[in-house]
Structures are given as structure tokens and as C-alpha cells.
Amino acid sequence: ELDKEKQDGETPDPLIPPAKITKEERMEWFRKKLPDLEVFQSTNLSRAFHDRVLKFSTNQCAIQFFMVWLSPARTFGPRDFLAVETLMKANPHSCLVLISRSLDTRRGDKILKALLDRGFKILAVTPDLASLVKDTPAETWLKKIKNVEIDPGENPLSVQLSNLIRLAVLYKYGGVYLDTDFIILKDFKGLRNAVGAQDVYQATRKWKTLNSAAMVFDKGHPILFDFLQEFATTFDGSKWGHNGPYMLTRVIRRVGNTPGYNLTILGLEAFYPVNWVQIERFFKKPATEEESKWVEETVLRLSEESYGLHLWSKITRKFVINEGSVIDRLIKSHCILCQDSYDS
């Protein structure tokens, strides 16, 4: 495993296509890469996915959470761990399944050990794509992508597979899906069949865009079938967000009011109280009395109103968390281990 991790660190991510090539060239590149892409392979370990999840989920879970990590374990950094840590602090009697081949290893055990030793229920488990999408509209899509009948697109395929896995796992098992760039602030008890608004119309405050970074659904909810169908039939791997947040938005705008769906659209404050354009301020140390007051009021408001704060890691991964900032204050009040290493 250590040799493989070292090799991973020296070679390009196999799920990211070369830039500035034609569709035909990209499909040929993917055809050559496919035999080596472990995420598409079924092994004894991956085929045990269903049984392992079922056995774990009967472990007196107040709420069943899922996260997806398709990158090497070495890239699961302190801020990703923070999402797990704050989740367990706010929901201590819940279970978390980390869907990840790289974390379902001895190295993954070491990463999670501090929380496992404290009795938190966390399982890293290798996914089996074929069984996850079986008997869903995405089953055909998976066959086509493996036969290189469709273009994987310009964006990392890991992003597309993460979009797919979160939908399939909620459809098959039910529960809560979360991205790993959250600080979780509150117990999710009481949330059911809900997603959060990412953007709203200023005049009416009605939702404009939704996001799939946090979703709560019952097992087999019909709109999850609709999501999987939309993913499979409109897939475009070159448009950022097309198969994720924008897919969710398209489907809910079209069928969200269907009788029996009982869908709840949560406001901005639930998961996305700040957008990626304005979030840098949340990392900065207050320099004036007025800024200190704003930090105090913001921390109080988030702690009272938000289930979690989405950190938009694509933008903020390199931001330094300054002492006394909103992010620093939230981490210190919602961490378990409270390690002074969240900047890396």
C-alpha cells in the first residue's frame, strides 16, 4: 500500500484527461487508461460493499451519513478530516460510511484512528459501481462509459463518478450525503427529503440554484430515480456542475412539486450561508472593532441557523485560517481533537 501511495504521488491523476485535446483524442486516451482504472474494477473487496454497508448501518445509527472520496488517501487532508470530525461532534450517535477505495486500507485506518478510538461509528468501504447502479437508469450509462461509447469529458472523471455515487447510494440505502468541505454545526435530526438552496433571487428570496453537496433522502425516494435518469440521459463531462448542482436544479424545477414527493428546499442559511465570492472574509482575522463585532455576530448566526458551512474547497483550499476569524472560531467550538493543523 505504501509503495502504491508513493507511485500515486509521482504520476498524474489517471481520472484527469490531458488538456486541449479533441473529443476523439480524449476517448482514445480513456480507452487506453480504462484497464488500469481501479474504480471501474470489481474485486472481492468491492463486491462486499452491499453486505458491509448493511451490516454497519444496523449498528444503532441515529442517522446514516455518506461521504465519497475517490482520490488517493494521501490527499485526504486536515480540512477533509475536519468535515468528518465536526460531523461526529454534532451527530455523535450517527454512522458515517466513507465510500473510498483508498481509505479502505491500513493507511485509511490510521487517518481515522483517533475518531474510531473514541467510539465513533465510521466505516471506509470500497465501492462497487456495478452493484450501486444496478436496476437504476444509470446502469446503461456505466456500460456505455466502460465501452467508451460516450465522451468522459474535459473535467475529472472522479467528479462525475462522485456525482453518480451519491445519488445511487441514497437511492439504495437512504440517509444523508455530504461533501468533505463542510464544517458541520448542528444535529441533522428532523431533516427529511431535503436539499439546500445555493443561490436565491434577490427580489423574492425564492431559490434560484440548488446544490448536491448536501442531500437528505429516504431510501428509494422517486426523485432520486429522476436524478439518476437525468444524469444518464443528459451527461456532459465538459460542463462544470452540469451533472451535479445544475442537474439537481433542472430536475427539481421540473418535477419537484409532484404529489407525494414531499420535498423540502432549505434556505441559504442551511448549508450555503456564504458563496465562494465572499467567503474569503470568513478566513481573515478582524482588524477593527467593527470587524470583531461582525465576526461575533456571524459566528452566533451560523451556530443558530446553519446545519453546516460549505467551504467551497476548490476556492478556499489555499486560504490561511487566521486566528480569531469566523472559520477559526467555528472550528474551535465544533472540533473534537482540535488539532492546530487545519491550514494544510
Side-chain angles (χ1 to χ4, degrees):
E1 286 178 7
L2 291 174
D3 288 344
K4 188 175 183 309
E5 285 288 342
K6 182 179 179 182
Q7 184 182 11
D8 285 343
E10 296 170 350
T11 56
D13 187 333
L15 292 172
I16 300 179
K20 298 180 180 179
I21 60 175
T22 65
K23 172 185 173 181
E24 291 72 23
E25 289 171 334
R26 187 165 52 244
M27 291 178 74
E28 183 57 31
W29 164 85
F30 183 63
R31 192 186 311 277
K32 292 177 180 177
K33 283 284 185 183
L34 196 57
D36 300 322
L37 296 180
E38 293 181 340
V39 70
F40 289 105
Q41 298 170 9
S42 282
T43 64
N44 289 336
L45 187 60
S46 70
R47 284 190 288 270
F49 176 84
H50 179 68
D51 290 339
R52 292 176 70 192
V53 171
L54 281 186
K55 182 178 179 181
F56 179 70
S57 298
T58 58
N59 191 21
Q60 296 180 336
C61 304
I63 304 172
Q64 178 66 71
F65 287 90
F66 295 95
M67 292 180 176
V68 176
W69 187 261
L70 300 181
S71 301
R74 63 179 168 77
T75 63
F76 192 83
R79 292 196 192 176
D80 305 297
F81 185 86
L82 177 65
V84 177
E85 182 178 0
T86 56
L87 169 62
M88 303 318 294
K89 173 73 175 285
N91 299 266
H93 302 296
S94 297
C95 298
L96 169 64
V97 173
L98 270 165
I99 302 172
S100 172
R101 183 182 293 267
S102 66
L103 293 175
D104 190 9
T105 57
R106 287 192 295 273
R107 181 161 185 164
D109 290 341
K110 290 179 181 178
I111 291 171
L112 300 171
K113 186 177 187 301
L115 293 176
L116 293 172
D117 286 349
R118 284 165 171 78
F120 292 108
K121 299 167 187 172
I122 305 170
L123 174 71
V125 58
T126 300
D128 189 70
L129 289 179
S131 66
L132 269 172
V133 302
K134 186 174 176 57
D135 300 323
T136 78
E139 188 172 12
T140 302
W141 177 88
L142 182 61
K143 288 178 181 176
K144 286 183 177 180
I145 199 82
K146 290 172 75 171
N147 290 331
V148 199
E149 295 174 19
I150 53 179
D151 177 16
E154 298 173 3
N155 292 316
L157 190 58
S158 56
V159 174
Q160 318 304 344
L161 293 176
S162 175
N163 286 329
L164 173 61
I165 289 171
R166 71 187 67 182
L167 301 175
V169 79
L170 289 180
Y171 184 65
K172 290 288 180 74
Y173 304 102
V176 181
Y177 169 80
L178 291 171
D179 275 357
T180 60
D181 56 345
F182 273 100
I183 298 176
I184 302 303
L185 306 174
K186 194 184 294 185
D187 192 320
F188 279 52
K189 184 179 179 181
L191 281 184
R192 189 178 175 197
N193 299 323
V195 295
Q198 171 188 308
D199 194 13
V200 297
Y201 292 103
Q202 292 303 313
T204 63
R205 303 307 292 175
K206 290 185 177 181
W207 68 269
K208 180 179 181 181
T209 309
L210 307 175
N211 199 307
S212 55
M215 298 185 290
V216 186
F217 281 106
D218 295 343
K219 175 182 175 181
H221 193 288
I223 205 167
L224 291 167
F225 188 92
D226 296 333
F227 291 156
L228 288 162
Q229 192 164 48
E230 181 78 6
F231 178 96
T233 56
T234 70
F235 178 81
D236 188 329
S238 295
K239 293 180 181 177
W240 189 263
H242 179 81
N243 314 302
Y246 301 138
M247 179 279 298
L248 202 78
T249 302
R250 290 194 305 273
V251 173
I252 291 180
R253 186 170 285 134
R254 190 168 67 235
V255 303
N257 292 323
T258 301
Y261 276 26
N262 299 322
L263 190 64
T264 299
I265 307 297
L266 302 168
L268 291 177
E269 68 283 353
F271 295 111
Y272 315 102
V274 60
N275 62 37
W276 62 85
V277 178
Q278 300 166 323
I279 196 170
E280 187 172 6
R281 185 182 184 188
F282 282 53
F283 286 77
K284 292 183 176 180
K285 181 178 181 177
T288 65
E289 187 174 334
E290 184 179 353
E291 289 178 359
S292 295
K293 182 181 179 182
W294 175 82
V295 167
E296 194 76 35
E297 291 173 348
T298 302
V299 169
L300 181 62
R301 175 173 55 83
L302 293 174
S303 297
E304 291 179 348
E305 298 179 357
S306 299
Y307 288 95
L309 173 63
H310 191 239
L311 295 180
W312 310 104
S313 65
K314 189 174 175 62
I315 305 294
T316 66
R317 190 168 291 279
K318 295 183 179 180
F319 288 179
V320 173
I321 301 172
N322 286 291
E323 186 176 356
S325 65
V326 170
I327 302 297
D328 177 61
R329 293 276 302 276
L330 289 174
I331 289 174
K332 286 176 178 174
S333 59
H334 293 85
C335 61
I336 297 171
L337 303 177
C338 302
Q339 299 171 338
D340 189 23
S341 60
Y342 295 111
D343 276 340
S344 53

